[in-house]
Amino acid sequence: MGILTWTYIIVGLTFALYIGIAIWSKARSTSDFYVAGKHVSPLANGMATGADWMSAASFISMAGLISFIGRDGSVYLMGWTGGYVLLALLLAPYLRKFGKFTVPDFVGERYYSQLARQVAVVCAIFVSFTYVAGQMRGVGIVFSRFLNVDINMGVLVGMFIVFFYAVLGGMKGITYTQVAQYCVLIFAYLVPAIFISILMTGNPIPQLGFGSTLSAEPGTYLLDKLDGLNTALGFAAYTDGTKSMVDVFFITAALMVGTAGLPHVIVRFFTVPKVADARKSAGFALLFIAILYTTAPAVAAFARTNMIHTVSNKVYAEVPPWFKNWEKTGLIKFEDKNGDGIINYVKDKNANELKIDRDIMVLANPEIANLPNWVVGLVAAGGLAAALSTAAGLLLVISTSVAHDLLKKAVMPDITEKQELLYARISAAAAVCVAGYFGINPPGFVAQVVAFAFGLAASSFFPAIILGIFDKRMNKEGAITGMLVGITFTAAYIIYFKFINPGANTPDHWWFGISPEGIGTLGMLLNAGVATVVSKMTAEPPEEIQHMIEDIRVPRGAGAPVEH
């Protein structure tokens, strides 16, 4: 069977599975819709968290980034994985003990202020929409290639699927759907990686194949070969970095604290029965995430090596079928500048005749390596699972922020639980439509958009949450001012360099040599500094709030159920 047939079969079966789970786990109360009734086991929650976090950026774009920028791509590996250590140690158990539905709920209660809650709602929606744009774009890319539809039509199809199980099932439906999606995406990521590792190095473990010698060239290591291929084309050696240490540090830190401050990840730890289960969930999630993240560098190196061998200095009329297939999507383009009919792929922009979208590398990898068609279809299903799982979690954050934190807690406090559930579903439906618009008109390639979302989360939520847990003296004036300063500064920096004056987006013009991807760390420091100064200059929090913070931090009864 052909690639299209296999893709329809595998994607169709996985979509049927997701929809079936959504129907089976339909939310029947606000507790089900917001936190899955707090009955999810640590193992299931760990898998769901892994799927929630391993988005289209992780599955589709991260290895593509690494394949093009080499060692500099390690910031994504270190930042996104290290963030989970912060999450497990500093946030998850304390937030679960607090026991509220959402991050704005925590901020509003901790800082005894409706204004603080509303600022947190705005931040949550802003961050979530920035993040979800990348997910919907990833869905469109997968559909455009493997189902022979336009990218925009692919986004619309993805909107329909997410709409069905996010609006119907809420957190309960999303959680159990994400368990299935994790199984699909990790299997889809590992199978081609194992096959290609065997073909290229003879080693069935990709992580080891990454550092092994090539079967076709005994005695030559894969990375040495890749360094040579890159330098011959005028690119920097694959194992050399081009970013400054300052920028690497700031990007890694922004991704780390951004992970720990992402509202759709944090809310997952409200779904388990006990405080101790929150920490166990974080441990399981880190294990499940590490399986993919330790494989990504190998996938990147395999894809880069095979791609250069396949197309560089080859006659265009004789390129393999995978090139023509992806050329139809517009994500790979050949412009014969010198008229010789040969693909000239080099670093020099004036001489380079090949444009490759970084987001296709993982998806095209099985085709480039001539793997069986069913593997190609499996990768398509995995990419969709990764994008849809994270999109659903983000859309739930948006809907709960609107229905619970804005309407129920501020605008319409007298609405019934049934009405609140209805408003949550309406909000989710509206959020799907807005997310679809951003997927059709994205502000950048997938991983870059997601990096911006992490920076915004780092500069807004993280200081408010961490200081709210560990600093009794932090008050509402400090938290509100800090969040506004942090997210405003970070968003303005990103918007200026990416949209207003992209020509100035170079190290010479950046503040202290910090790129837009890393500016969230500076925004976080500004947030924390401003919040601390303002809180010292204003009144202490009420005594009951200080007692509440002490109670959250005390490990007493950590293994017992929490009643609220």
Side-chain angles (χ1 to χ4, degrees):
M1 290 189 289
I3 291 175
L4 188 63
T5 304
W6 272 114
T7 303
Y8 272 118
I9 292 173
I10 297 175
V11 171
L13 288 174
T14 57
F15 278 10
L17 176 63
Y18 305 153
I19 292 173
I21 291 172
I23 295 172
W24 167 74
S25 57
K26 179 181 178 180
R28 304 186 185 279
S29 67
T30 52
S31 180
D32 279 348
F33 195 89
Y34 294 147
V35 291
K38 298 183 181 178
H39 297 313
V40 181
S41 71
L43 179 61
N45 197 48
M47 295 181 75
T49 304
D52 209 349
W53 185 59
M54 287 191 293
S55 61
S58 294
F59 188 98
I60 297 174
S61 199
M62 184 176 63
L65 268 175
I66 297 172
S67 71
F68 277 82
I69 64 178
R71 195 184 74 176
D72 287 340
S74 63
V75 296
Y76 293 94
L77 295 171
M78 295 186 295
W80 285 340
T81 308
Y84 249 91
V85 178
L86 285 178
L87 188 63
L89 295 178
L90 298 182
L91 296 181
Y94 302 110
L95 290 174
R96 176 59 189 89
K97 191 171 185 182
F98 189 75
K100 295 296 181 180
F101 284 153
T102 65
V103 173
D105 218 3
F106 170 81
V107 172
E109 294 291 332
R110 165 59 181 86
Y111 294 112
Y112 50 97
S113 167
Q114 285 297 336
L115 179 58
R117 184 191 302 275
Q118 290 160 15
V119 171
V121 167
V122 172
C123 291
I125 292 173
F126 188 25
V127 170
S128 297
F129 272 129
T130 304
Y131 200 166
V132 81
Q135 310 315 309
M136 300 311 295
R137 185 65 175 178
V139 171
I141 288 172
V142 175
F143 274 119
S144 69
R145 162 62 189 95
F146 296 109
L147 299 183
N148 285 341
V149 298
D150 180 74
I151 287 181
N152 295 346
M153 179 58 67
V155 171
L156 294 175
V157 174
M159 285 170 59
F160 171 77
I161 298 297
V162 173
F163 175 87
F164 188 87
Y165 69 80
V167 174
L168 180 67
M171 178 59 84
K172 186 177 180 182
I174 287 171
T175 296
Y176 293 108
T177 303
Q178 285 174 336
V179 171
Q181 286 169 330
Y182 175 80
C183 296
V184 171
L185 75 87
I186 202 65
F187 188 67
Y189 205 82
L190 290 178
V191 167
I194 291 170
F195 277 6
I196 297 173
S197 183
I198 293 172
L199 289 172
M200 293 184 69
T201 69
N203 195 316
I205 303 174
Q207 293 87 337
L208 298 180
F210 180 56
S212 299
T213 57
L214 294 168
S215 299
E217 300 180 39
T220 302
Y221 284 92
L222 170 64
L223 290 178
D224 288 338
K225 178 69 174 181
L226 192 48
D227 276 348
L229 290 172
N230 266 20
T231 53
L233 297 173
F235 297 97
Y238 190 79
T239 54
D240 288 344
T242 58
K243 291 183 180 294
S244 69
M245 289 302 295
V246 170
D247 198 29
V248 167
F249 174 82
F250 272 78
I251 294 175
T252 302
L255 295 174
M256 286 179 67
V257 297
T259 298
L262 281 174
H264 78 291
V265 174
I266 290 174
V267 75
R268 290 236 54 91
F269 298 99
F270 297 159
T271 65
V272 292
K274 298 181 295 185
V275 176
D277 292 338
R279 200 181 297 275
K280 292 177 184 175
S281 294
F284 279 125
L286 187 59
L287 172 64
F288 295 137
I289 290 165
I291 296 173
L292 186 146
Y293 268 56
T294 57
T295 309
V299 171
F302 297 155
R304 178 77 174 177
T305 304
N306 282 334
M307 187 272 292
I308 292 175
H309 271 304
T310 302
V311 299
S312 182
N313 293 319
K314 304 296 182 182
V315 178
Y316 174 71
E318 300 175 1
V319 293
W322 76 265
F323 189 98
K324 296 290 187 180
N325 291 335
W326 279 100
E327 200 173 25
K328 294 174 185 176
T329 68
L331 297 174
I332 186 169
K333 297 177 181 178
F334 169 62
E335 180 186 356
D336 193 2
K337 295 180 178 179
N338 57 15
D340 64 357
I342 297 175
I343 300 174
N344 190 30
Y345 177 56
V346 293
K347 184 179 180 181
D348 183 356
K349 291 182 179 179
N350 296 322
N352 184 41
E353 300 175 334
L354 187 64
K355 292 183 179 179
I356 303 174
D357 191 302
R358 301 176 183 186
D359 289 337
I360 75 169
M361 293 306 293
V362 170
L363 299 174
N365 201 21
E367 292 177 88
I368 298 173
N370 288 319
L371 296 186
N373 289 340
W374 67 266
V375 178
V376 180
L378 179 64
V379 170
L384 290 170
L388 293 175
S389 62
T390 303
L394 292 163
L395 293 170
L396 186 71
V397 166
I398 295 169
S399 68
T400 53
S401 294
V402 172
H404 182 71
D405 296 306
L406 191 59
L407 297 181
K408 177 67 175 178
K409 294 290 186 176
V411 180
M412 305 165 64
D414 297 327
I415 59 174
T416 65
E417 181 177 343
K418 186 176 181 180
Q419 289 174 319
E420 185 182 349
L421 185 59
L422 175 62
Y423 285 126
R425 285 185 165 134
I426 293 173
S427 300
V432 169
C433 296
V434 177
Y437 171 80
F438 283 120
I440 293 171
N441 301 282
F445 61 87
V446 175
Q448 189 180 51
V449 172
V450 171
F452 295 154
F454 276 73
L456 294 170
S459 63
S460 57
F461 281 122
F462 186 76
I465 297 171
I466 204 74
L467 292 173
I469 293 172
F470 293 101
D471 184 2
K472 292 193 300 181
R473 185 62 180 78
M474 183 55 58
N475 60 17
K476 64 180 180 181
E477 291 84 2
I480 293 170
T481 307
M483 283 192 292
L484 289 175
V485 169
I487 198 166
T488 301
F489 167 77
T490 304
Y493 192 92
I494 291 171
I495 290 169
Y496 176 77
F497 282 113
K498 301 306 294 185
F499 305 108
I500 296 177
N501 191 9
N505 189 22
T506 64
D508 293 336
H509 295 92
W510 297 337
W511 282 19
F512 313 111
I514 303 170
S515 66
E517 289 82 1
I519 200 63
T521 300
L522 187 55
M524 175 197 68
L525 296 174
L526 283 174
N527 180 336
V530 168
T532 301
V533 170
V534 171
S535 68
K536 297 295 183 184
M537 297 172 62
T538 49
E540 289 187 0
E543 189 174 340
E544 62 269 20
I545 297 295
Q546 297 190 47
H547 287 317
M548 177 184 70
I549 297 307
E550 288 180 348
D551 184 60
I552 290 174
R553 294 209 306 263
V554 171
R556 182 181 64 254
V562 178
E563 300 294 337
H564 286 278

